Amino acid sequence: MSDEKAVSIPQQSGGTQAKDAGADGEILLKVTGLQKHFPIRKGLLQRQTGAVRAVDGIDFEVRKGETLGVVGESGCGKSTMGRLITRLLEPTAGTVEFEGRDITHLSTGALRPMRRDVQMIFQDPYSSLNPRHTIGTIVSAPFRLQGVTPEGGVKKEVQRLLSVVGLNPEHYNRYPHEFSGGQRQRIGIARALALNPKLVVADEPVSALDVSIQAQVVNLLDDLQEELGLTYVIIAHDLSVVRHVSDRIAVMYLGKIVELADRNALYKAPMHPYTKALLSAVPIPDPKRRKVKSERILLKGDVPSPISPPSGCRFHTRCWKATQICRTTEPPLLELRPGQRVACHHPENSEDQAPQDTELLTEARQAAAELGKSSDTSSDK
Amino acid sequence: MTAPIETTGAEAGAQPEAVLAGVKKSQIEGRSLTQIAWMRFKRDKVAMAGGVVVVLLVLMAVLSKPIQWVFGLDPNKFNQDLIDPALLAPKGGWGGMSWEHPLGVDPQYGRDMLARIIDGSWVSLLVAGGATMLSVLIGTVMGLLAGYYGGWVDSIISRMMDTFLAFPLLLFAISISASVQDGFFGLDGLPLRICVLIFVIGFFSWPYIGRIVRAQTMSLREREFIEAARSMGARGPYVVFRELLPNLVAPIIVYSTLIIPTNILFEASLSFLGVGIAPPQASWGGMLSNAVDLYTADPQYMFVPGLAIFITVLAFNLLGDGLRDALDPRSK
Ligand SMILES: Nc1ncnc2c1ncn2[C@@H]1O[C@H](COP(=O)(O)OP(=O)(O)OP(=O)(O)O)[C@@H](O)[C@H]1O
Ligand code: SF4
Ligand SMILES: [Mg+2]
């Protein structure tokens, strides 16, 4: 990717240009009511005493050629979601459809052909490459495992892939320990591209990298998408990484999607308080807006345990707008504006969904006081 | 602009992998972890010394018959003329050392000690090596199964390992060795004894290696390259043999090297207790056992086999420690 593009992105105010093509394109991946509960077993008899509700009922779809960014704090189930859609894990409930085909409960054998089309890029470049294999072995593993012989031979194809991701093709017989983190991540990308996949799921692809390298890798992913027409699901724990590459962004909190919107809509007018808090942690790029609002919303407390998530809206223990209804009733994920789905009773930048309920919860009052603002934050927008 | 992306402008201008920009062509050949370990090992003089002694011992064991033939040594030739008939001890003190018999002769019969040490070496190393191989084989398979599959497979195998480790091994070994009769499996005499010893020692010491392989497998299983292989459609056997096993070779080699001396001592103990290698075949443990009976007559007799065992055990331990340091720098 060129620097010119990276610089220009923040200035975009209208809709996405080239990427708009994906907006109403064909649906590649569709997820409905997806759940993953990890049983907690105790004692000698391994009796189940509870469950970690890592992913607890999420719906979304990924369209051909687009990039879906998934963000959320640590432990909110992003990786689990990624492993569910690549079917490294089997869902507890719900369905995963890839190209219209239900793959929710396919066996390892039946999944094999699909594995060619869905590839993963992993978070930790130090653990995602087998230290005992050469780069050539690593990048050619997909061919071996899928029984594919590329045109012109495996070695030539591996060298081509290495040069595509910006590595020296002569390095195919080196070992992972001889490379830096960024280079290793490029090796991981080359491996993911080997079989010409349709969908690439990248689980925090740059979190483990040095800040100066992060941009390079993100830009490489972006370039590759343009060249190869890839579809991405990119997972990240903050919005700064996904903002430039995503067409749409899903915000997760404690196993749920709380907001799913087009990138620009989400940045301009976030509706869910949690999204707003996440956004406030990202430095504001626009100097005009920076003067107006520089308040940073610091969420207090930790993410509650996914073993026994809070009742009603899961965010009510940390939300500064929480009222009685938030504690009792779970807000559904509703399309409050075209292309913007939100699960909140009192959304920002939109009509209140439960206007009758105005009494703030005690914790919320404290939180609101700490933020130094009134309950109707939406008005100052 | 946002924090991490802010650098884009400056960074994009730079060479993507400037790190490798100035690398000479000759340096491009990769150095594997094995080569690096070997370089590290070569620098460890103590371990190298242990390794050299181990190589010499193995050569001595493998070539023990040719060596005896070349030097005209006979471990079973009686030299009654060298024995003082009243004391049963070798004449002339120092265990009968002479130019003809550099390590002396044994009491009672006057057999050449050097020949007997050489002849005993192959038995000791064969039993210890065979038993180690057997335990490594069982231990690796069991450890891999337990570590890779987890769950109830792990529970069963782990309980099994605990049970084996809690066994009164020596008593068990004695009773098995003592109850096996000639003709068992169509074997008799020395080959039968060797097989029984290999089986008993190997079969009861596999949990040591099994536990190590299990723990290593469990930690490797969580690494993302395993997940990467599975996401490309790899099945269990591929993951185990192509992804896991190459990473287990180093710890397996290290712990095998460290188990061998234990097994040498175990063989010696069994022979010492009279249930191991039977006379007239020379064995280090058997010689020690004799030496205890004849302690008053010929105290020097116990030094020679004792020293042989000591040197062998020490050499293997030094080699094993050195290998561990070389293969896993974090352990230092
Ligand atoms: N195999 C598992 N068994 C039991 N619990 C699990 C398992 N994998 C994940 N969890 C739990 O599920 C929850 C979500 O985990 P997940 O790794 O998906 O979070 P994440 O959003 O990716 O976090 P991070 O940003 O730290 O990677 C966590 O509480 C975690 O402890
Ligand atoms: S206002 Fe209520 S529903 Fe909305 S995020 Fe806060 S607690 Fe949840
Ligand atoms: Mg994660």
Side-chain angles (χ1 to χ4, degrees), chain A residues 169-207:
Chain A
E170 299 293 314
H171 288 168
Y172 67 94
N173 57 7
R174 290 191 152 210
Y175 287 84
H177 63 87
E178 298 170 80
F179 294 87
S180 68
Q183 291 171 320
R184 286 172 186 232
Q185 202 58 312
R186 285 167 193 266
I187 296 164
I189 294 173
R191 169 174 63 187
L193 296 179
L195 294 168
N196 220 344
K198 292 176 180 153
L199 177 66
V200 174
V201 178
D203 186 357
E204 309 212 16
V206 297
S207 299

Coordinates of all heavy atoms in Angstrom, one line a residue, chain A residues 169-207:
Chain A
P169 N 13.1 -14.3 -1.7 CA 12.7 -15.7 -2.1 C 13.8 -16.7 -1.8 O 13.6 -17.9 -1.7 CB 12.4 -15.6 -3.6 CG 12.4 -14.2 -3.9 CD 13.1 -13.4 -2.9
E170 N 15.1 -16.2 -1.7 CA 16.2 -17.1 -1.4 C 16.2 -17.6 0.0 O 16.9 -18.5 0.3 CB 17.5 -16.3 -1.6 CG 17.7 -15.7 -3.0 CD 17.9 -16.8 -4.0 OE1 18.7 -17.8 -3.7 OE2 17.3 -16.8 -5.1
H171 N 15.3 -17.1 0.8 CA 15.3 -17.5 2.2 C 14.5 -18.8 2.5 O 14.2 -19.1 3.6 CB 14.8 -16.4 3.1 CG 15.7 -15.2 3.2 ND1 15.4 -14.0 3.6 CD2 17.0 -15.2 2.8 CE1 16.5 -13.2 3.6 NE2 17.4 -13.9 3.1
Y172 N 14.0 -19.5 1.5 CA 13.1 -20.6 1.7 C 13.7 -21.7 2.6 O 13.0 -22.4 3.2 CB 12.5 -21.1 0.4 CG 13.5 -21.8 -0.4 CD1 13.7 -23.2 -0.3 CD2 14.3 -21.1 -1.3 CE1 14.7 -23.8 -1.1 CE2 15.3 -21.8 -2.1 CZ 15.5 -23.1 -1.9 OH 16.4 -23.7 -2.6
N173 N 15.0 -21.8 2.6 CA 15.6 -22.9 3.5 C 16.1 -22.4 4.8 O 17.0 -23.0 5.4 CB 16.6 -23.7 2.7 CG 17.7 -22.9 2.2 OD1 17.8 -21.7 2.5 ND2 18.6 -23.5 1.4
R174 N 15.7 -21.2 5.2 CA 16.1 -20.7 6.5 C 15.0 -21.1 7.5 O 13.9 -21.6 7.2 CB 16.1 -19.2 6.5 CG 17.3 -18.7 5.7 CD 17.5 -17.2 6.0 NE 18.8 -16.8 5.8 CZ 19.4 -15.9 6.5 NH1 18.7 -15.2 7.3 NH2 20.6 -15.6 6.3
Y175 N 15.4 -20.9 8.8 CA 14.5 -21.3 9.9 C 13.8 -20.1 10.5 O 14.4 -19.0 10.5 CB 15.2 -22.1 10.9 CG 15.5 -23.5 10.4 CD1 16.7 -23.7 9.6 CD2 14.7 -24.6 10.7 CE1 17.0 -25.0 9.1 CE2 15.0 -25.8 10.2 CZ 16.1 -26.0 9.4 OH 16.4 -27.3 8.9
P176 N 12.6 -20.2 11.1 CA 11.9 -19.1 11.7 C 12.7 -18.2 12.6 O 12.6 -17.0 12.6 CB 10.7 -19.7 12.4 CG 10.5 -21.0 11.7 CD 11.8 -21.5 11.2
H177 N 13.6 -18.9 13.4 CA 14.3 -18.1 14.4 C 15.2 -17.1 13.8 O 15.8 -16.2 14.5 CB 15.0 -19.0 15.4 CG 16.1 -19.8 14.7 ND1 17.4 -19.4 14.6 CD2 16.1 -21.0 14.2 CE1 18.1 -20.3 13.9 NE2 17.3 -21.3 13.7
E178 N 15.5 -17.2 12.5 CA 16.4 -16.2 11.9 C 15.7 -14.9 11.4 O 16.3 -14.1 10.8 CB 17.1 -16.9 10.7 CG 17.9 -18.0 11.1 CD 18.4 -18.9 10.0 OE1 19.4 -18.4 9.3 OE2 17.8 -19.9 9.7
F179 N 14.3 -14.9 11.7 CA 13.6 -13.7 11.2 C 13.0 -12.9 12.3 O 12.8 -13.4 13.4 CB 12.4 -14.2 10.3 CG 12.9 -14.9 9.1 CD1 13.1 -16.3 9.0 CD2 13.0 -14.2 7.9 CE1 13.6 -16.9 7.9 CE2 13.4 -14.8 6.7 CZ 13.7 -16.1 6.7
S180 N 12.8 -11.6 12.0 CA 12.2 -10.7 13.0 C 10.7 -11.0 13.1 O 10.1 -11.7 12.2 CB 12.4 -9.3 12.6 OG 11.7 -9.0 11.4
G181 N 10.0 -10.4 14.1 CA 8.6 -10.6 14.2 C 7.8 -10.3 13.0 O 6.9 -11.0 12.5
G182 N 8.1 -9.1 12.4 CA 7.4 -8.7 11.2 C 7.6 -9.6 10.1 O 6.6 -9.9 9.3
Q183 N 8.8 -10.1 9.9 CA 9.1 -11.0 8.8 C 8.4 -12.3 9.0 O 7.8 -12.9 8.1 CB 10.6 -11.2 8.7 CG 11.4 -10.0 8.3 CD 12.8 -10.2 8.4 OE1 13.3 -10.8 9.4 NE2 13.6 -9.8 7.4
R184 N 8.3 -12.7 10.3 CA 7.6 -14.0 10.6 C 6.1 -13.9 10.2 O 5.5 -14.8 9.7 CB 7.7 -14.3 12.0 CG 9.1 -14.9 12.4 CD 9.1 -15.0 13.9 NE 10.4 -15.3 14.4 CZ 10.6 -16.3 15.3 NH1 9.5 -17.0 15.7 NH2 11.8 -16.6 15.7
Q185 N 5.6 -12.7 10.6 CA 4.2 -12.5 10.3 C 4.0 -12.5 8.7 O 3.0 -13.0 8.3 CB 3.7 -11.2 10.9 CG 2.2 -11.1 11.1 CD 1.7 -12.2 12.0 OE1 2.0 -13.4 11.8 NE2 0.8 -11.9 12.9
R186 N 4.9 -12.0 8.0 CA 4.8 -12.1 6.5 C 4.9 -13.6 6.1 O 4.2 -13.9 5.1 CB 6.0 -11.3 5.9 CG 5.8 -9.8 5.9 CD 7.1 -9.1 5.6 NE 6.9 -7.7 5.9 CZ 6.5 -6.8 5.1 NH1 6.3 -7.1 3.8 NH2 6.4 -5.5 5.5
I187 N 5.7 -14.4 6.7 CA 5.7 -15.8 6.4 C 4.3 -16.4 6.6 O 3.8 -17.2 5.8 CB 6.8 -16.5 7.2 CG1 8.2 -16.0 6.8 CG2 6.7 -18.0 7.0 CD1 9.3 -16.3 7.8
G188 N 3.8 -16.0 7.8 CA 2.4 -16.6 8.1 C 1.4 -16.1 7.0 O 0.5 -16.9 6.7
I189 N 1.6 -14.9 6.5 CA 0.6 -14.4 5.5 C 0.9 -15.2 4.2 O -0.1 -15.6 3.5 CB 0.8 -12.9 5.3 CG1 0.4 -12.2 6.6 CG2 0.0 -12.4 4.1 CD1 0.7 -10.7 6.6
A190 N 2.1 -15.4 3.9 CA 2.4 -16.2 2.7 C 1.8 -17.6 2.7 O 1.2 -18.1 1.8 CB 3.9 -16.3 2.5
R191 N 1.9 -18.2 3.9 CA 1.3 -19.5 4.1 C -0.3 -19.4 3.9 O -0.9 -20.3 3.3 CB 1.6 -20.1 5.5 CG 0.8 -21.3 5.9 CD 1.3 -21.9 7.2 NE 1.1 -20.9 8.3 CZ 1.5 -21.2 9.5 NH1 2.2 -22.3 9.8 NH2 1.3 -20.3 10.5
A192 N -0.9 -18.4 4.5 CA -2.3 -18.3 4.4 C -2.8 -18.0 2.9 O -3.9 -18.4 2.5 CB -2.8 -17.1 5.2
L193 N -1.9 -17.4 2.1 CA -2.2 -17.1 0.7 C -2.0 -18.3 -0.2 O -2.5 -18.3 -1.4 CB -1.4 -15.9 0.2 CG -1.7 -14.6 0.9 CD1 -0.8 -13.5 0.3 CD2 -3.2 -14.3 0.8
A194 N -1.2 -19.3 0.2 CA -0.8 -20.3 -0.7 C -1.9 -21.0 -1.5 O -1.7 -21.2 -2.7 CB 0.0 -21.4 0.1
L195 N -3.0 -21.2 -0.9 CA -4.1 -22.0 -1.6 C -5.1 -21.0 -2.3 O -6.1 -21.5 -2.7 CB -4.8 -22.9 -0.6 CG -3.9 -24.1 -0.1 CD1 -4.6 -24.8 1.0 CD2 -3.5 -25.0 -1.2
N196 N -4.7 -19.8 -2.3 CA -5.6 -18.8 -3.0 C -7.0 -18.8 -2.3 O -8.0 -19.1 -2.9 CB -5.8 -19.1 -4.4 CG -5.8 -17.9 -5.3 OD1 -6.0 -16.8 -4.7 ND2 -5.6 -18.0 -6.5
P197 N -7.0 -18.5 -1.0 CA -8.3 -18.6 -0.2 C -9.3 -17.6 -0.6 O -9.0 -16.5 -1.2 CB -7.9 -18.4 1.2 CG -6.7 -17.5 1.1 CD -6.0 -17.9 -0.2
K198 N -10.5 -17.8 -0.2 CA -11.6 -16.8 -0.5 C -11.7 -15.9 0.8 O -12.0 -14.7 0.7 CB -12.9 -17.5 -0.8 CG -12.9 -18.2 -2.1 CD -14.1 -19.0 -2.4 CE -14.0 -19.7 -3.7 NZ -14.9 -20.9 -3.8
L199 N -11.6 -16.5 1.9 CA -11.8 -15.8 3.2 C -10.5 -15.9 4.0 O -10.0 -17.1 4.2 CB -13.0 -16.4 4.0 CG -13.3 -15.7 5.3 CD1 -13.7 -14.3 5.2 CD2 -14.3 -16.5 6.1
V200 N -10.0 -14.8 4.5 CA -8.9 -14.9 5.4 C -9.3 -14.3 6.8 O -9.8 -13.2 6.8 CB -7.7 -14.1 4.9 CG1 -6.5 -14.1 5.9 CG2 -7.2 -14.7 3.6
V201 N -9.1 -15.1 7.8 CA -9.4 -14.6 9.2 C -8.1 -14.3 9.9 O -7.3 -15.2 10.0 CB -10.2 -15.7 10.0 CG1 -10.5 -15.2 11.4 CG2 -11.5 -16.1 9.3
A202 N -7.9 -13.1 10.2 CA -6.7 -12.7 10.8 C -6.9 -12.3 12.3 O -7.6 -11.3 12.6 CB -6.1 -11.5 10.1
D203 N -6.4 -13.1 13.2 CA -6.7 -12.9 14.6 C -5.5 -12.0 15.2 O -4.4 -12.5 15.4 CB -6.7 -14.2 15.4 CG -7.1 -14.1 16.8 OD1 -7.3 -12.9 17.3 OD2 -7.2 -15.1 17.5
E204 N -5.8 -10.8 15.4 CA -4.9 -9.8 15.9 C -3.5 -9.9 15.2 O -2.5 -10.2 15.8 CB -4.7 -10.0 17.4 CG -6.0 -10.1 18.2 CD -5.9 -9.5 19.6 OE1 -4.9 -8.8 19.9 OE2 -6.8 -9.7 20.4
P205 N -3.6 -9.7 13.9 CA -2.4 -10.0 13.1 C -1.2 -9.1 13.4 O 0.0 -9.4 13.1 CB -2.8 -9.7 11.7 CG -4.0 -8.8 11.8 CD -4.7 -9.2 13.1
V206 N -1.4 -8.0 14.1 CA -0.3 -7.1 14.4 C -0.1 -6.8 15.8 O 0.9 -6.1 16.2 CB -0.4 -5.8 13.6 CG1 -0.4 -6.0 12.1 CG2 -1.6 -5.0 14.0
S207 N -0.9 -7.4 16.7 CA -0.8 -7.0 18.1 C 0.5 -7.3 18.7 O 1.0 -6.6 19.6 CB -1.9 -7.8 18.9 OG -3.1 -7.4 18.5

